[in-house]
Amino acid sequence: MPTPPDQAAERRFHRLVDTLDHAVVWEFDDTDQVYTFVSKHSKLVLGYESEDWLRDPTFFESRVHAEDLPRVLEVFEKLRRGELVDIRCEHRCRRADGRVIWVHSGVHFEEERGHRLFRGVTIDIDHLKQAEQRERAARTEAERSAAARDEVLAVVAHDLRNPLNTVTLACETLSPETMGHNVRLIRRAIKQMQGLIEDLVDAASIRASRLRVASGDLDAAHLLRDVADDFAGDAAERGIELTVEGEGTVALRGDGRRLGQALSNLVNNALKFTERGGRVTLRLKRDDLHVHFEVADTGRGIAPQDIDKVFDRAWQSDETAHLGSGMGLYIAKGVVEAHGGEIRVFSALGEGSVFSFFLPR
């Protein structure tokens, strides 16, 4: 006896949908609140057998990610109210193994022989979403690299101009009478350019989260005194008192060169903002868990609106913009954070500033 046309068509349909190994085809009777069909490849997509759907009328919505569920339920309600006939949406689902994947669900709604039916297909698009995320990450990284390149070019064009002009002028005016003075000018300009280039390299490394630190045993008190010694001449020339307050020996693990760089940047910043007759104090404290470094000055202080900007790469005080690259505090913050520490600033206009950072012992 030949198979009725409707049954033959239904069998062909079932054979077709069962070949889709990245999709689940399903039908839900909204009138009787029961799944009437679920394709066999439910196991491949969500990790559940088709029988799991057929036994549970809330199967689909209970597997939709909690953050996406309100949006999915809303479009289903629009189908019920007749505002839409078909919907397509991307959302996340939880697999049987607990993994969250992205799927694309397309659903058609119609009434047939007194029953309201949802007929849908849910397709695994997780690999596509991952590819999109990789592409976005690559695009973001490319944009960040381009911004960093433009930033470097801007800094080089602006900040290298002054020392280069100094070298040019000194060379043009060289004579036996000015030889010693001009050579000192040239050496100072070269030192400024070398410092700027090192700052640019460090800033780029920090921005890319690639700043390298070589940990070793060191004495924090000795490190603080070394930095103070390095700036003693500069402080005396400026008429600023530079003092050190600290304990005898404070053991610490860290990169002595990098931590010295961070402290030097803080001291240099304090000297720039402190008037003649003022004071800059380096302090060292410790507790059971941390070593605390402080650089306090009696300078002009920082305006309240600028407090949150001082560690930004793009920020620099108008009064000292001509004195350097403006990357000192940004680099100090990067060095401290690379050591697992935290840096802070306390300041008030007319009352000076205290820059402090603490490192795990």
Side-chain angles (χ1 to χ4, degrees), residues 312-328:
D312 292 349
R313 166 60 192 91
W315 184 84
Q316 189 173 193
S317 168
D318 292 337
E319 301 92 271
T320 58
H322 64 289
L323 298 178
S325 68
M327 290 183 282

Side-chain angles (χ1 to χ4, degrees), residues 289-306:
L289 299 177
H290 299 97
V291 176
H292 299 255
F293 295 87
E294 283 187 3
V295 177
D297 65 65
T298 59
R300 70 195 69 172
I302 304 170
Q305 67 269 21
D306 291 333

Side-chain angles (χ1 to χ4, degrees), residues 45-65:
V45 177
L46 292 178
Y48 294 93
E49 302 289 353
S50 56
E51 289 77 11
D52 296 326
W53 293 57
L54 297 170
R55 285 193 297 267
D56 181 6
T58 66
F59 181 90
F60 183 76
E61 55 263 43
S62 64
R63 269 69 188 180
V64 175
H65 193 281

Side-chain angles (χ1 to χ4, degrees), residues 144-166:
R144 185 164 54 226
S145 297
R149 178 202 62 206
D150 293 342
E151 181 180 63
V152 168
L153 290 175
V155 171
V156 169
H158 180 270
D159 290 346
L160 282 181
R161 186 178 296 120
N162 288 338
L164 282 173
N165 288 341
T166 299

